[in-house]
Amino acid sequence: MAAAAPPPAPTPTPTPPNTVPAGSTPIGHPLFSRVRLATPSDVPHIHKLIHQMAVFERLTHLFSATESALSANLFSDPPFRSFTIFILEVSPKPFPENSPHNANPNYTPVVHIIHSDLPVEDPEREIFKSEDENIAVAGFVLFFPNFSSFLAKPGFYIEDIFVRECYRRKGLGKILLSAVAKQAVKMDYGRVEWVVLDWNTNAIQFYEEMGAQILPEWRICRLTGDALQVYGNTN
């Protein structure tokens, strides 16, 4: 007579979604992000970010910015009344409570926590190291006031917004845009505007999902280089 088959193995109790089995280590790698006002000491990082942006936008042939030129033209006026830069920083650990940036009278840094299943691999962490060994610069936004005659109100125009490649698709671009929008609301400004390259379909979709209007009937007119010199010297 054949031996009886062994009893079936007990079926494990399913784990409810978004929970961790008892006795196991939770899996997760929080990424702390901070938006703060840029300072003159950020110029080397800002310069590198602008160059990376030029590479991404395929416009390196137009890139001629230098650190000395940035230093000479930024930070000479109060923030939000002229050229203003928000720096986006990230850290695997909470930002220090005694950070000197927390004492900036013009802007209180805004911190968010992004939850991720995997750590972010940043191959350029060393060259973008910021306040301490855990903090790295991940992006920036440069903006300045303009004026709407139709609204009879000032607004902000965003000249540049950029997040380094390894930190994209994590909501950090939205955090930067939100910081500018919140400052505009705080100052009772009428709107925030920027431009987007027509081939950057991911950015266009992202902006539309935010509620931004894309205005295809408008075109940018630009005088620069020799043409600017010609018209600037015309009597």
Side-chain angles (χ1 to χ4, degrees):
M1 183 175 179
T11 303
T13 303
T15 302
N18 301 321
T19 63
V20 178
S24 62
T25 302
I27 300 175
H29 298 270
L31 183 68
F32 295 83
S33 72
R34 177 172 70 181
V35 175
R36 62 166 176 83
L37 273 176
T39 67
S41 64
D42 293 309
V43 165
H45 287 147
I46 293 169
H47 184 257
K48 287 192 283 285
L49 289 168
I50 294 173
H51 182 263
Q52 287 193 358
M53 182 175 61
V55 171
F56 173 75
E57 294 182 349
R58 310 167 193 172
L59 296 172
T60 51
H61 59 289
L62 300 178
F63 178 80
S64 61
T66 63
E67 290 186 21
S68 59
L70 291 171
S71 296
N73 291 290
L74 298 174
F75 312 111
S76 59
D77 294 302
F80 312 123
R81 302 299 178 183
S82 183
F83 314 118
T84 303
I85 293 179
F86 282 153
I87 291 290
L88 171 69
E89 295 174 318
V90 293
S91 172
K93 297 182 179 181
F95 292 94
E97 294 183 3
N98 61 348
S99 168
H101 300 296
N102 293 336
N104 192 314
N106 295 303
Y107 187 77
T108 302
V110 178
V111 176
H112 295 267
I113 304 175
I114 298 170
H115 296 281
S116 177
D117 291 335
L118 298 172
V120 177
E121 296 295 332
D122 183 353
E124 298 177 306
R125 172 169 288 277
E126 281 301 310
I127 66 173
F128 280 101
K129 190 187 306 183
S130 187
E131 188 174 342
D132 65 32
E133 62 181 10
N134 294 309
I135 302 174
V137 172
F140 80 113
V141 57
L142 187 157
F143 57 102
F144 49 85
N146 59 6
F147 189 83
S148 167
S149 55
F150 284 13
L151 297 177
K153 278 189 170 186
F156 281 137
Y157 180 79
I158 295 176
E159 175 69 19
D160 298 319
I161 181 168
F162 182 75
V163 175
R164 289 169 51 215
E165 184 174 4
C166 62
Y167 293 108
R168 293 175 195 159
R169 293 172 292 279
K170 300 182 185 303
L172 293 170
K174 186 175 182 179
I175 287 173
L176 276 173
L177 277 171
S178 177
V180 178
K182 286 180 179 178
Q183 187 64 33
V185 170
K186 180 180 179 180
M187 299 176 69
D188 194 30
Y189 280 13
R191 63 190 182 194
V192 175
E193 294 180 305
W194 63 95
V195 297
V196 60
L197 292 165
D198 59 4
W199 55 260
N200 196 347
T201 54
N202 289 337
I204 291 172
Q205 181 181 355
F206 167 64
Y207 296 145
E208 288 178 332
E209 289 173 351
M210 284 181 55
Q213 294 177 294
I214 309 296
L215 307 175
E217 67 273 19
W218 291 84
R219 295 292 184 270
I220 297 173
C221 299
R222 175 178 292 167
L223 274 176
T224 188
D226 292 341
L228 175 62
Q229 296 299 320
V230 169
Y231 279 92
N233 293 318
T234 301
N235 293 327

